[in-house]
């Protein structure tokens, strides 16, 4: 009897641990999919608050990716320059949060970002993420009711992203 109860308790503990780990992994994946460009591109009901939030989250993520690459591979071009540009984009967006009384999202990007395994992979990720970034801003700019100052900021940032995309493509070409 004692052995049966012991086995039962062990199975229950194992089940609870499994469910806890599964929920945590699922919640993290869900969170990652709902942030920045990924979230915006999946969202069918964008509001001004969501548009600003997605944009800032994606700028945070871009900056964190550059940080991770720089920490792992050193001051590699164009990552150093793009990291500075991402900070400029963040500084462009923040006053809009204040102007429209939108809560500024917490910057979680550093906790959710890992350095790619190689510099070549970093360029590939940069290309993928800038492509998503450009698509996100294109979608956000089509949102009805977006104020003119928000449109100007997002148009400027989207244009800069086209330059970032070209820089990552050139970097990938050089690394092959």
């Amino acid at each position: 009897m004692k052995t049966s109860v012991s086995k039962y308790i062990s199975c229950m503990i194992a089940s609870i641990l499994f469910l806890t780990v599964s929920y945590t992994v699922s919640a993290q994946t869900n969170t990652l999919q709902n942030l920045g460009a990924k979230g915006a591109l999946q969202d069918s009901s964008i509001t001004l608050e969501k548009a600003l939030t997605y944009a800032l989250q994606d700028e945070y993520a871009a900056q964190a990716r550059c940080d991770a690459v720089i920490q792992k591979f050193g001051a590699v071009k164009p990552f150093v320059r793009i990291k500075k540009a991402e900070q400029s984009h963040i500084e462009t967006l923040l006053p809009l949060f204040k102007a429209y009384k939108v809560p500024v999202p917490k910057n979680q990007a550093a906790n959710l970002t890992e350095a790619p395994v190689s510099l070549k992979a970093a360029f590939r990720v940069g290309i993928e993420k800038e492509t998503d970034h450009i698509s996100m801003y294109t979608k956000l700019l089509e949102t009805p009711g977006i104020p003119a100052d928000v449109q100007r900021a997002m148009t400027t940032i989207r244009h800069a992203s086209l330059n970032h995309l070209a820089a990552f493509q050139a970097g990938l070409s050089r690394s092959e």
Side-chain angles (χ1 to χ4, degrees), residues 1-60:
M1 175 91 171
K2 212 177 203 183
T3 306
S4 296
V5 172
S6 177
K7 284 182 182 179
Y8 176 77
I9 291 173
S10 294
C11 285
M12 289 302 292
I13 291 171
S15 295
I16 290 169
L17 287 173
F18 174 77
L19 290 172
T20 302
V21 169
S22 296
Y23 175 78
T24 303
V25 169
S26 172
Q28 286 177 338
T29 302
N30 235 356
T31 301
L32 289 173
Q33 292 174 349
N34 294 328
L35 296 176
K38 292 291 183 196
L41 293 171
Q42 295 173 24
D43 195 332
S44 61
S45 60
I46 305 276
T47 61
L48 173 62
E49 180 175 344
K50 286 181 176 182
L52 288 171
T53 300
Y54 287 136
L56 188 59
Q57 289 170 337
D58 215 59
E59 298 302 332
Y60 286 155

Side-chain angles (χ1 to χ4, degrees), residues 13-176:
I13 291 171
S15 295
I16 290 169
L17 287 173
F18 174 77
L19 290 172
T20 302
V21 169
S22 296
Y23 175 78
T24 303
V25 169
S26 172
Q28 286 177 338
T29 302
N30 235 356
T31 301
L32 289 173
Q33 292 174 349
N34 294 328
L35 296 176
K38 292 291 183 196
L41 293 171
Q42 295 173 24
D43 195 332
S44 61
S45 60
I46 305 276
T47 61
L48 173 62
E49 180 175 344
K50 286 181 176 182
L52 288 171
T53 300
Y54 287 136
L56 188 59
Q57 289 170 337
D58 215 59
E59 298 302 332
Y60 286 155
Q63 189 176 54
R65 281 190 302 276
C66 288
D67 276 337
V69 170
I70 292 165
Q71 287 175 6
K72 186 168 184 174
F73 302 107
V76 178
K77 290 181 182 179
F79 294 96
V80 172
R81 182 180 49 79
I82 291 173
K83 177 186 171 186
K84 289 178 186 174
E86 301 305 349
Q87 182 59 43
S88 175
H89 301 166
I90 291 166
E91 291 169 5
T92 297
L93 291 169
L94 285 174
L96 298 170
F97 281 83
K98 186 174 181 180
Y100 294 100
K101 297 176 177 54
V102 174
V104 176
K106 183 179 176 187
N107 185 349
Q108 305 173 51
N111 299 329
L112 303 172
T113 304
E114 293 180 17
V117 295
S118 68
L119 199 50
K120 190 174 188 175
F123 286 119
R124 285 191 176 127
V125 168
I127 291 167
E128 175 192 338
K129 298 301 182 178
E130 287 299 334
T131 301
D132 288 347
H133 197 73
I134 293 162
S135 296
M136 174 193 72
Y137 277 113
T138 300
K139 179 178 180 173
L140 297 180
L141 285 164
E142 294 170 355
T143 302
I146 294 291
D149 56 345
V150 175
Q151 286 181 346
R152 278 190 302 277
M154 289 184 175
T155 299
T156 300
I157 295 169
R158 182 180 63 183
H159 181 72
S161 292
L162 291 168
N163 294 332
H164 299 173
L165 177 59
F168 287 136
Q169 288 169 332
L172 180 61
S173 292
R174 285 190 306 271
S175 71
E176 294 188 310

